[in-house]
Amino acid sequence: MARRLDYSARYPLHTTKELYEALSTREYWEARVAEMRKYTPGNEVASVEVTDSGIEVVLHHTLPRDMLPEIAQTVMRKDMIITRKESWSPFDGAETTGKFSASIPAGPGSLGGKIRLFPTETGCTMRFSSEAKVYIPMVGPRLEQLMLVNLVDLFRAETEETVRWLEARNPTA
């Protein structure tokens, strides 16, 4: 049975338009990945495509096996290479939706979800609705929970970097 988790990233004093414009630039994604390299060195932006249909982003994250929790090391015999995809629909002037997925070659499960970017009275919010599923009896539920906890940590770090990015371009103070 899959585990689900919702997470909301709030961007006070910044608009959905500002955030969508950031999402549509490679420079933003490179800055976000550079911040993630502080935690794990093997991160890169594989592609960023912006068309009339929306935004498509592919990121690669490499987690050295020795950095994985012991329970994950029992399943993963080498470094974990994660391909993360994020896509966004065109911006309608107020809000937009997207989806994300993370995959591991020959990985024992799946991770993905939906994203909604919408305005609030004080700025905007990006809400992630995530689902983790691990197909290994006995340890599956523990790994699913571990994936979601780590995902929240990742979302928090990415939110902090996004706020810095937005503040550098559109200061609110």
Side-chain angles (χ1 to χ4, degrees), residues 20-30 48 50 55 165:
Y20 192 83
E21 286 173 356
L23 294 169
S24 68
T25 67
R26 186 176 189 101
E27 185 181 9
Y28 163 77
W29 291 100
E30 291 287 353
V48 177
V50 181
I55 304 167
W165 171 269

Side-chain angles (χ1 to χ4, degrees), residues 138-159:
M138 307 301 283
V139 297
R142 288 176 52 202
L143 285 173
E144 290 166 356
Q145 186 63 33
L146 180 65
M147 289 167 63
L148 292 174
V149 167
N150 286 322
L151 189 60
V152 167
D153 291 342
L154 176 68
F155 288 157
R156 281 188 186 126
E158 289 175 345
T159 300

